Amino acid sequence: TKGMQNSRSKNSHFSLGGKRHVSLRDHHVKGFSLARNHKRQKIARDWSPGRKRFVATVACISTALIGILVGIYAGETPAIQYYIVDFHHYTVLGNVFFFVGLAIPTFLFWPLPLLHGRKPYIMGSMSLAMPLLFPQALAVGEFRSPYVATWRVGLIMSRALMGFCLGFANMNFKQMLTDLFGASLQSTNPHQEHVDEFDVRRHGGGMGVWLGLWTWSALGSIGIGFMIGAVIINTLNPAWGFYVSICIIAFVMLLNVLCPEVRRSAFRRSVAEVVNDGDVSRRLARGEVKMHMVQTGPKWWGEEFKHGVILSQKMLRQPGFLIMALYTAWIYGQQVLITLVWLLMESVETLLTTRSSWAL
C-alpha cells in the first residue's frame, strides 16, 4: 500500500489534467513539483484580515499625503508671496495648477493600473514628484526681485508638473480598498437575511469603516498640512516646508514598498485559447476595459487607454453619474475653500501691509 501511495504521489507531479504529457529525465525529477512551482497566489479579497488592514492603512496614509502637500503649500502662501514679492497673487494659483495636473491622469489614464498593476504607478509617480519639490524650495529660498518672473514661473510650473506626476498614484488609492474588500457594503451578519457564504457581495468582508477613514484622509489631511505649513513659516524660511514635504513623500514611499501588490495577475502576460465549434481563437488575457467593451484584450497599452476614455465618456453621458460627479467635486471644493478661507484673507492683508511699508 505504501508503495502504491508513493507511485501515485510520484505520478501526481506530472498530471496535466488530460493535456499533453511531458516526460522528464531522472535527474530532473528531484525537487520538481508542478503544483509548487506554479502555485497561483490568492487575490487581494482572499487575503487574511491582518494583511488587508495593513494595505488599507497604507492606502489611507497615501491618500492623506496629497492633502498634506496641498495644506503645507497653502499654509506657507503668505510667506511665499512675501519672499518672491508677488503683487498679483500668482502664488495662490500653485495649488490650482496642482489640482489640474492631478485630474489629468485620474481621468485619462485610470485603466493602465488594471493592465500593469498599481504598485509601479504609485512608486514611479512618487519618485518623480520628490525631485520636483527642489525647484519650489529654490524659488523661495531667499528674497527675489518682483521684476524677475522666472521664480514665479518656476514655482508654479514645477507645482503643476508635480500634481501631474502624483495623479498616477492618486488614481490608485481608493481603488486599492475596492480591490481588498470589494465594491459592496454587504455585512458579514445581515439582519433577518439568510447568510450565503458564497454571495459575491460578501466576498471581501465589506469596507464601510475604511471608506470613512479614506474620506477623512482625503479631506481632513488638508487641515493638518495647513497647520504644518503655518508652524514652519512662523520661525523658518518657507523653503523648509518643501523639504519637509520631501521627507513625508519618502516615508509614504517606504510604506508602499512594504505593501504587497493588490492587482497581481497570473495571466497578465499569457494568451487565452478559446475553442468554439472546432474554431480556435486566441486572445490576450489582460486589459479589463477593452476586454469588457469588445471582448478581446489590448495588444499595447494605448488601446486600453483609448477604450478607457471611451468608457469615461459613456459614464459622463449618464445623468445620474454626471450629477454625482459634480456634487462630489463641489463638496470637495467647498471643504478646501472653508479650510483655506482664512489663509486667503491673511495673504491679502499681508500683501497690503507689505505694499504700505514699501511705499513708506
Side-chain angles (χ1 to χ4, degrees), residues 241-278:
F242 299 105
Y243 296 138
V244 171
S245 299
I246 294 173
C247 297
I248 295 175
I249 294 179
F251 172 72
V252 177
M253 276 190 65
L254 177 61
L255 292 179
N256 282 275
V257 169
L258 302 176
C259 182
E261 174 63 73
V262 297
R263 292 294 303 185
R264 180 181 285 110
S265 175
F267 305 107
R268 188 169 284 139
R269 296 180 177 88
S270 62
V271 177
E273 189 174 89
V274 181
V275 180
N276 187 13
D277 296 333

Side-chain angles (χ1 to χ4, degrees), residues 19-38:
K19 297 181 180 179
R20 184 178 300 171
H21 177 73
V22 178
S23 299
L24 297 177
R25 296 182 179 273
D26 294 337
H27 63 277
H28 290 156
V29 176
K30 295 180 180 180
F32 178 80
S33 174
L34 186 63
R36 184 178 68 247
N37 292 343
H38 298 272

Side-chain angles (χ1 to χ4, degrees), residues 11 49 114 122 182 185 209 282 286 317 323:
N11 292 332
L114 305 178
I122 294 175
L185 299 180
V209 175
R282 295 178 177 87
R286 61 178 184 177
R317 293 192 190 103
I323 292 173

